[in-house]
Amino acid sequence: MTEHISQKQIFPTSQLEDADGDGHNRCDNPTMGEIIGRRFSRRGFLQGSLAVSAIAATVSPIALLSAQKARAAGGSAFSFTEVEAGVDADHHVAEGYNADILLRWGDALFSDSPVFDPKQQSAAAQSRQFGYNNDYVGYIPIDGSSKHGILVVNHEYTNPHLMFPGLVTIADGKIKQAKLTKEQVDIEMAAHGGTIVEIRKADGKWQVVPDGKYNRRITSVTETELTGPVAGHERVKTSADTTGTKVIGTFNNCAGGVTPWGTYIMAEENFHGYFSGELPADHKEAANHKRYGVPEGAYEWAHFYDRFNVAKEPNEPNRFGWIVEVDVLDPTSTPKKRSALGRTKHEGAASIVDKDGRVVFYLGDDERFDYVYKFVTSGTYMANDRTANMKLLDEGTLYVAKFTEDGTLQWLPVVHGQGPLTAENGFASQAEVLIETRRAADLLGATKMDRPEDIEPNAVTGKVYVMLTNNTKRKPEQVDAANPRADNAFGHIIEITEDGGAFGATSGKWEVLLKCGDPAVAAVGASFSTETTKNGWFGMPDNCSIDAAGRLWVATDGNNNKATGRTDGLWAVDTEGDARATSKLFYRVPVGAELCGPLFLPDDQTAFVAVQHPGDGGDDWSGHGRPSYYEDLSTRWPDFKEDMPVRPAVVAITKVGGGKIAV
Ligand code: FEO
Ligand code: CA
Ligand code: CA
């Protein structure tokens, strides 16, 4: 069964001092640094053996051969000078590129947005400003332009110890965090959600259009509508909403997507953290909530709002964990929670139009031993009928992946009445199958994966890339072909080829593109090509982007520690020809951050990246060497001003003088 994060039944006095020590972000693996430090220390390993033999031991003769061929053929599809991996307070991009700050936490979106003042922050101000911890970045062109469009950005979660002055004291070298006030909780709620903002490129530089007619904040208090098979079901009714359709807010919006018809998708990921309280063990929702880790009590919202207390509102958690669709062209539109796509800890929802016009959404459920899904619409995409397209996500088939040892793949329908998904197993309808998507997938025998994150189809090559970020809980007896390493600290990437070249196919083939980690440490078992330098390897693939040329770019989450000697960043990964599995570092984040986004615009002349939770950490870095919090930060990126805290920000990367990136 699924590995759950600690199930706290009470409000923690501090999220930061629990055993996991990972604060709010359930995407991070908090013990990674220790694990790597203990067993995979590069320095320790190399001291104890000859570095040369350590490297040779990891390289198969086939890899060596293909690397030689790559050299002969010129190899890589990417052309740029690699960044040096490392850790410091700043971000770094490849030589010859600009990395310009576009939007920071607190930046104005409207002419009436209060000027950001972290010491006088309010929920009202925050709801008119760019939110916290930017994650997914999408772009909807205006008039087909790669120079003028609507930027959509998710704000996944909040870091109170970095946001609020006066919250932290240090005891025994550890952060102790005071309880939040109602005003601080309200600021948190306003700092979650998403931002929709018009942007324009002038003289090679991107700018926000203040008061742009599409500009909008969506937060944890924005009213949304639950649509599709689950709408109005008894199990989603609450005392505040007897219709079972009106849900207040969306939160923990991780990655997402932009649909072919230009709507914005916000994936609800670690929703369990926001709920507290206790249900009797025999309550009819108890087992369901347990399967999703509800309630985790990482946030303090239930102190002030009863709907986050499962003892008072046992159905409220069933209203989260959905894919949310937003019509960005109407800033007054009600975001729709599209229940047909299932209820999981949705990482994202990248989509592509299949040959037959149906639209396919790839969906990862980010938990150790959870599943890879896809949703295929019943209707077909109509290029000139946006109104019809807006209904596509309410009808279709949800599938879950079974990866078999012979390299084939079956997509199993998660459909009521089929196989075990019947009343005998507690599913009275498709609505119940969708509310308990995970249990349905368990019964279908789907393959338990190493934390599925972003999944992106490649429109150029027809392949699909699945980021599997890590799973240190996998035991040797649980290893399978698609999850080939026990104690998988560094993650891997799977490449899928759907049968018949049809993204909507119900079967396909797959292979492991890359096992991540330091190839110089044989015990890690990484499989980067030998062309990959000491800067080019990475661990913990999380988000990814495929550019217009069909090249794969991978962003990481979790490399920040002494043992890896590097921060997270953006890596260019070859997938084709002799250079396959060669990786190069293009951009790296400041200390403590992970990299989200990334997004290449259709002209391949801009890459947007989202630097998330910078300054969250620094104990391991010699430049700081102690806990990082508001009053004593490991970095004040991007402003580097004494009166300004560290701020998550979206960065625009362009080539100096213009032109396509990495060509
Ligand atoms: Fe929010 Fe799975 O990353
Ligand atoms: Ca992440
Ligand atoms: Ca992610």
PDB file of all heavy atoms in Angstrom, residues 25 27-28 135 156 254 453 542-543 557 594 596 612, ligand 2:
ATOM      1  N   ASN A  25       6.062  21.173   2.147  1.00  0.00           N
ATOM      2  CA  ASN A  25       6.152  20.651   0.791  1.00  0.00           C
ATOM      3  C   ASN A  25       6.318  19.156   0.795  1.00  0.00           C
ATOM      4  O   ASN A  25       7.397  18.623   0.940  1.00  0.00           O
ATOM      5  CB  ASN A  25       7.306  21.301   0.037  1.00  0.00           C
ATOM      6  CG  ASN A  25       7.264  20.890  -1.414  1.00  0.00           C
ATOM      7  OD1 ASN A  25       6.362  20.170  -1.828  1.00  0.00           O
ATOM      8  ND2 ASN A  25       8.225  21.335  -2.169  1.00  0.00           N
ATOM      9  N   CYS A  27       6.274  17.347  -1.570  1.00  0.00           N
ATOM     10  CA  CYS A  27       6.982  16.864  -2.761  1.00  0.00           C
ATOM     11  C   CYS A  27       8.443  16.573  -2.436  1.00  0.00           C
ATOM     12  O   CYS A  27       9.072  15.742  -3.040  1.00  0.00           O
ATOM     13  CB  CYS A  27       6.957  17.913  -3.862  1.00  0.00           C
ATOM     14  SG  CYS A  27       5.328  18.142  -4.486  1.00  0.00           S
ATOM     15  N   ASP A  28       8.963  17.344  -1.485  1.00  0.00           N
ATOM     16  CA  ASP A  28      10.363  17.147  -1.158  1.00  0.00           C
ATOM     17  C   ASP A  28      10.547  15.836  -0.426  1.00  0.00           C
ATOM     18  O   ASP A  28       9.679  15.428   0.319  1.00  0.00           O
ATOM     19  CB  ASP A  28      10.845  18.246  -0.229  1.00  0.00           C
ATOM     20  CG  ASP A  28      11.042  19.543  -0.960  1.00  0.00           C
ATOM     21  OD1 ASP A  28      11.111  19.507  -2.191  1.00  0.00           O
ATOM     22  OD2 ASP A  28      11.115  20.557  -0.295  1.00  0.00           O
ATOM     23  N   ASP A 135       4.960  27.530  -9.177  1.00  0.00           N
ATOM     24  CA  ASP A 135       5.256  26.156  -9.615  1.00  0.00           C
ATOM     25  C   ASP A 135       5.028  26.065 -11.122  1.00  0.00           C
ATOM     26  O   ASP A 135       5.879  26.483 -11.905  1.00  0.00           O
ATOM     27  CB  ASP A 135       4.405  25.161  -8.818  1.00  0.00           C
ATOM     28  CG  ASP A 135       4.931  23.740  -8.918  1.00  0.00           C
ATOM     29  OD1 ASP A 135       5.104  23.253 -10.057  1.00  0.00           O
ATOM     30  OD2 ASP A 135       5.166  23.092  -7.884  1.00  0.00           O
ATOM     31  N   GLU A 156       2.015  26.979  -5.355  1.00  0.00           N
ATOM     32  CA  GLU A 156       1.737  25.678  -4.759  1.00  0.00           C
ATOM     33  C   GLU A 156       1.516  25.712  -3.249  1.00  0.00           C
ATOM     34  O   GLU A 156       0.550  25.177  -2.755  1.00  0.00           O
ATOM     35  CB  GLU A 156       2.863  24.703  -5.082  1.00  0.00           C
ATOM     36  CG  GLU A 156       2.527  23.268  -4.664  1.00  0.00           C
ATOM     37  CD  GLU A 156       3.680  22.304  -4.842  1.00  0.00           C
ATOM     38  OE1 GLU A 156       4.832  22.726  -4.767  1.00  0.00           O
ATOM     39  OE2 GLU A 156       3.406  21.107  -5.052  1.00  0.00           O
ATOM     40  N   CYS A 254       0.119  22.326  -8.065  1.00  0.00           N
ATOM     41  CA  CYS A 254       1.513  21.976  -8.334  1.00  0.00           C
ATOM     42  C   CYS A 254       1.826  22.280  -9.786  1.00  0.00           C
ATOM     43  O   CYS A 254       1.892  23.429 -10.179  1.00  0.00           O
ATOM     44  CB  CYS A 254       1.707  20.514  -7.963  1.00  0.00           C
ATOM     45  SG  CYS A 254       3.405  19.971  -8.089  1.00  0.00           S
ATOM     46  N   GLU A 453       5.727  12.271 -11.285  1.00  0.00           N
ATOM     47  CA  GLU A 453       5.590  13.731 -11.336  1.00  0.00           C
ATOM     48  C   GLU A 453       5.110  14.115 -12.729  1.00  0.00           C
ATOM     49  O   GLU A 453       4.149  13.529 -13.236  1.00  0.00           O
ATOM     50  CB  GLU A 453       6.935  14.387 -10.964  1.00  0.00           C
ATOM     51  CG  GLU A 453       7.426  13.985  -9.583  1.00  0.00           C
ATOM     52  CD  GLU A 453       7.249  15.072  -8.531  1.00  0.00           C
ATOM     53  OE1 GLU A 453       6.450  16.008  -8.731  1.00  0.00           O
ATOM     54  OE2 GLU A 453       7.903  14.981  -7.491  1.00  0.00           O
ATOM     55  N   ASP A 542      11.589  16.222 -11.756  1.00  0.00           N
ATOM     56  CA  ASP A 542      10.266  16.604 -11.246  1.00  0.00           C
ATOM     57  C   ASP A 542       9.420  17.172 -12.376  1.00  0.00           C
ATOM     58  O   ASP A 542       8.488  16.542 -12.851  1.00  0.00           O
ATOM     59  CB  ASP A 542      10.457  17.594 -10.085  1.00  0.00           C
ATOM     60  CG  ASP A 542       9.153  17.971  -9.396  1.00  0.00           C
ATOM     61  OD1 ASP A 542       8.086  17.856 -10.030  1.00  0.00           O
ATOM     62  OD2 ASP A 542       9.187  18.402  -8.236  1.00  0.00           O
ATOM     63  N   ASN A 543       9.766  18.369 -12.835  1.00  0.00           N
ATOM     64  CA  ASN A 543       9.018  18.960 -13.941  1.00  0.00           C
ATOM     65  C   ASN A 543       9.833  18.834 -15.213  1.00  0.00           C
ATOM     66  O   ASN A 543      11.044  18.670 -15.164  1.00  0.00           O
ATOM     67  CB  ASN A 543       8.734  20.437 -13.662  1.00  0.00           C
ATOM     68  CG  ASN A 543       7.916  20.612 -12.390  1.00  0.00           C
ATOM     69  OD1 ASN A 543       8.378  21.193 -11.423  1.00  0.00           O
ATOM     70  ND2 ASN A 543       6.723  20.071 -12.392  1.00  0.00           N
ATOM     71  N   ASP A 557      14.021  18.615  -8.238  1.00  0.00           N
ATOM     72  CA  ASP A 557      13.571  18.982  -6.897  1.00  0.00           C
ATOM     73  C   ASP A 557      14.250  18.075  -5.879  1.00  0.00           C
ATOM     74  O   ASP A 557      13.876  16.910  -5.749  1.00  0.00           O
ATOM     75  CB  ASP A 557      12.047  18.828  -6.795  1.00  0.00           C
ATOM     76  CG  ASP A 557      11.541  19.014  -5.374  1.00  0.00           C
ATOM     77  OD1 ASP A 557      12.320  19.501  -4.521  1.00  0.00           O
ATOM     78  OD2 ASP A 557      10.377  18.684  -5.129  1.00  0.00           O
ATOM     79  N   GLU A 594      13.978  24.790  -5.329  1.00  0.00           N
ATOM     80  CA  GLU A 594      13.826  23.790  -6.377  1.00  0.00           C
ATOM     81  C   GLU A 594      13.408  24.531  -7.625  1.00  0.00           C
ATOM     82  O   GLU A 594      12.999  25.699  -7.568  1.00  0.00           O
ATOM     83  CB  GLU A 594      12.785  22.725  -6.003  1.00  0.00           C
ATOM     84  CG  GLU A 594      11.352  23.213  -6.035  1.00  0.00           C
ATOM     85  CD  GLU A 594      10.327  22.078  -5.888  1.00  0.00           C
ATOM     86  OE1 GLU A 594       9.988  21.431  -6.886  1.00  0.00           O
ATOM     87  OE2 GLU A 594       9.854  21.889  -4.756  1.00  0.00           O
ATOM     88  N   CYS A 596      10.850  24.833 -10.775  1.00  0.00           N
ATOM     89  CA  CYS A 596       9.573  24.448 -11.373  1.00  0.00           C
ATOM     90  C   CYS A 596       9.438  25.137 -12.722  1.00  0.00           C
ATOM     91  O   CYS A 596      10.396  25.645 -13.250  1.00  0.00           O
ATOM     92  CB  CYS A 596       8.435  24.803 -10.432  1.00  0.00           C
ATOM     93  SG  CYS A 596       8.558  24.008  -8.808  1.00  0.00           S
ATOM     94  N   GLN A 612      11.285  28.036  -6.930  1.00  0.00           N
ATOM     95  CA  GLN A 612      10.370  27.812  -5.818  1.00  0.00           C
ATOM     96  C   GLN A 612      11.146  27.620  -4.510  1.00  0.00           C
ATOM     97  O   GLN A 612      12.203  26.993  -4.508  1.00  0.00           O
ATOM     98  CB  GLN A 612       9.500  26.575  -6.108  1.00  0.00           C
ATOM     99  CG  GLN A 612       8.286  26.480  -5.202  1.00  0.00           C
ATOM    100  CD  GLN A 612       7.539  25.165  -5.343  1.00  0.00           C
ATOM    101  OE1 GLN A 612       8.099  24.101  -5.080  1.00  0.00           O
ATOM    102  NE2 GLN A 612       6.274  25.237  -5.754  1.00  0.00           N
TER     103      GLN A 612
HETATM  104 CA    CA B   2       8.284  19.739  -6.443  1.00  0.00          CA
END
